[in-house]
Amino acid sequence: MQIGQLAKRTHVPIDTIRYYESHGILPAPARRNSGYRSYGDADVARLHFVRRAKALGFTLREISELLQLSGRSGEDMAAVRASAAARLADVERKLDELTRIRDGLHQLVTACPGHGGIQDCPILGALSKEDA
């Protein structure tokens, strides 16, 4: 199949497919006599893998490492687990940070009556304070 067909089947834009090729995420495809790239089912599967990994928050570098690991049959899965555990820890740190941000914003919104002079706005006042 040609690159447009691959893009349609995987819901990955053509420019992204080319980017993945240039960065080794997707292997360079065979070329037809016409010069067109020729892709197969393995490329479809690989792009689906990349999309799912990205949806879970893995970086392209991490995805590349996972793809390399997936090609090593017979090896222990410890490295894959370690990569997923590191991603999970990162997500949990981000959730903690987002919870802190939400709580801070909630306090600011609750403290603001929503009317009156802007100079008396508790939100702007809190944001203007110097750190102690």
Side-chain angles (χ1 to χ4, degrees):
M1 81 187 82
Q2 292 180 357
I3 195 166
Q5 294 164 312
L6 178 65
K8 219 177 232 187
R9 277 186 65 184
T10 60
H11 305 285
V12 175
I14 291 173
D15 290 342
T16 302
I17 293 171
R18 289 186 180 132
Y19 179 85
Y20 289 164
E21 287 174 14
S22 70
H23 286 80
I25 302 291
L26 190 64
R31 296 271 183 170
R32 296 180 181 174
N33 290 336
S34 63
Y36 287 110
R37 294 172 170 96
S38 181
Y39 299 93
D41 290 336
D43 299 307
V44 172
R46 192 172 184 99
L47 285 175
H48 283 302
F49 181 102
V50 171
R51 287 191 67 222
R52 286 189 295 270
K54 282 187 67 172
L56 290 172
F58 287 97
T59 66
L60 287 181
R61 181 185 55 76
E62 292 166 335
I63 293 169
S64 181
E65 291 169 4
L66 288 171
L67 285 166
Q68 289 173 10
L69 289 169
S70 71
R72 298 179 190 162
S73 63
E75 285 200 23
D76 189 65
M77 65 180 82
V80 176
R81 185 181 193 284
S83 183
R87 176 60 35 222
L88 176 60
D90 187 49
V91 168
E92 288 174 345
R93 278 190 299 276
K94 288 177 182 178
L95 283 171
D96 289 343
E97 179 68 11
L98 286 171
T99 298
R100 187 190 64 72
I101 291 168
R102 181 200 62 205
D103 293 347
L105 284 170
H106 185 268
Q107 287 178 337
L108 290 174
V109 169
T110 300
C112 183
H115 55 81
I118 195 81
Q119 70 277 3
D120 298 324
C121 177
I123 296 171
L124 294 177
L127 295 175
S128 298
K129 287 182 183 175
E130 288 189 34
D131 290 337

